[in-house]
Amino acid sequence: MATADDTDTTPTRWDERARTQLAHALRSRVAGDDAAAKAAVIWGAEGERWFTPEDPIWRVHADAAMFPGGIRALLLQSLHPLAMAGVAGHSGFKGDPWGRLQRTSEFLATTTFGTIEHAEVLIERVRSIHERVRGKAEDGRPYAASDPHLLRWVHITEVDSFLTAFQRYASEPLTDTEADLYVEQTAVVARRLGVIDPPLTTAELAAMIEDYRPELQSTAASREAARFLLLHPPLPLAAKPGYAALAAGAVALLPRWARRPLRLPWLPFTEMLLARPLGDAATATVRWAMTDPADVRTVATESRAG
């Protein structure tokens, strides 16, 4: 016969086991099979860091809202034909989408949470890769990944998307002052990566995105990228409902002007009643998994704090 203690602790053990399994699956998909080893270096290495757990950039980039925010950023980035040409021609976003995601995840984690030494090494590595990524878009215009103008477009769409998602889906959104500081802190890495005059406030961020709008276009490549991201992600069947909820939450955060070029409908009532609640639920589930006490990030952070 089960004792009272057994009855009380069994659900907790099941919850912890489910959370650990989900956390492992997420980390393997987003950071690769060697996610634990990478995380141990990023979070556990001793050394000076650009940011602390109290900084807005740390809070935003450590939150599960990065998942819908990342999808939103990719959708926005695809609207610039030169940026999309570079992605289609060199990143392998369809042939190896998870590899691209893992490289992006490692860069964000290292430059936000890692030591300055590790961050600067990785930034130099990415800059050297950018120097080799060049070609011509479908309309014949040349592009280069090292072009400061294109680098700034990629930067501001990421910053805007991560901040927008955090403000919508995080349990404690940033204040206006903290949001400005978040934008300013992202400029630390952006400048080192080659971005000239990155925005330093949310007002500057919004103005810069508006300035790029005349350059944006609906292209076959951008529409194909949207279909791939939203309808045909390379995921096992069991993972697709959760991803679909995150994707719905991402689309619900897109500005109205970005919908038509990507052939995405504007359905405000449906999004209010369905898409955003789905995004809330999916993000909350990911956040629950990411707070696994056995996760290397949690262990390393608590160890340093102690």
Side-chain angles (χ1 to χ4, degrees):
M1 180 180 295
T3 65
D5 286 343
D6 290 337
T7 303
D8 290 342
T9 59
T10 299
T12 302
R13 290 172 184 163
W14 184 90
D15 286 349
E16 290 176 353
R17 186 162 56 248
R19 180 164 60 178
T20 299
Q21 290 173 347
L22 179 55
H24 176 74
L26 286 169
R27 298 248 179 246
S28 294
R29 184 67 67 176
V30 173
D33 292 336
D34 57 346
K38 289 178 182 176
V41 172
I42 292 170
W43 294 87
E46 296 293 332
E48 185 180 0
R49 286 165 164 77
W50 280 320
F51 311 111
T52 72
E54 288 71 40
D55 283 315
I57 191 172
W58 188 295
R59 290 168 55 193
V60 173
H61 290 180
D63 193 75
M66 289 288 283
F67 284 77
I71 297 171
R72 180 187 188 270
L74 292 174
L75 292 169
L76 283 180
Q77 288 167 10
S78 74
L79 288 173
H80 198 294
L82 298 185
M84 187 63 227
V87 169
H90 297 272
S91 74
F93 83 99
K94 290 187 70 175
D96 183 26
W98 297 116
R100 183 187 181 215
L101 174 63
Q102 289 159 13
R103 291 187 292 272
T104 302
S105 172
E106 181 181 7
F107 182 82
L108 284 167
T110 300
T111 55
T112 303
F113 314 117
T115 65
I116 294 176
E117 179 184 1
H118 290 159
E120 289 181 332
V121 168
L122 187 53
I123 289 170
E124 284 305 310
R125 187 191 310 164
V126 172
R127 288 191 65 142
S128 68
I129 293 171
H130 283 172
E131 290 295 333
R132 300 193 298 270
V133 175
R134 55 186 67 244
K136 288 187 177 181
E138 290 183 1
D139 59 9
R141 286 184 295 166
Y143 66 81
S146 58
D147 179 354
H149 187 70
L150 289 182
L151 283 172
R152 188 165 65 174
W153 169 247
V154 172
H155 171 68
I156 63 177
T157 52
E158 288 182 351
V159 174
D160 184 67
S161 294
F162 297 155
L163 180 58
T164 298
F166 186 84
Q167 297 298 77
R168 175 60 184 84
Y169 295 125
S171 54
E172 294 184 22
L174 302 180
T175 65
D176 290 345
T177 300
E178 289 171 334
D180 281 340
L181 181 55
Y182 168 71
V183 176
E184 181 181 347
Q185 288 177 333
T186 63
V188 171
V189 176
R191 289 194 189 96
R192 287 169 169 80
L193 202 56
V195 177
I196 296 175
D197 294 329
L200 301 179
T201 66
T202 55
E204 289 182 7
L205 175 63
M208 282 189 187
I209 290 177
E210 191 67 22
D211 288 344
Y212 274 86
R213 284 188 58 186
E215 302 177 35
L216 308 183
Q217 297 177 20
S218 175
T219 63
S222 66
R223 295 190 298 272
E224 182 182 5
R227 286 194 299 270
F228 180 77
L229 280 169
L230 301 177
L231 302 178
H232 307 294
L235 286 167
L237 187 62
K240 288 189 175 182
Y243 179 86
L246 288 171
V251 171
L253 299 179
L254 280 172
R256 187 172 183 177
W257 54 259
R259 308 295 186 94
R260 185 184 296 273
L262 294 173
R263 303 293 191 265
L264 298 174
W266 173 253
L267 302 171
F269 292 109
T270 301
E271 289 177 4
M272 181 178 65
L273 296 175
L274 183 61
R276 291 196 177 188
L278 280 174
D280 275 324
T283 306
T285 300
V286 173
R287 186 177 295 115
W288 170 73
M290 290 172 64
T291 57
D292 175 21
D295 186 81
V296 65
R297 184 178 71 173
T298 304
V299 173
T301 303
E302 290 179 350
S303 175
R304 281 208 312 275

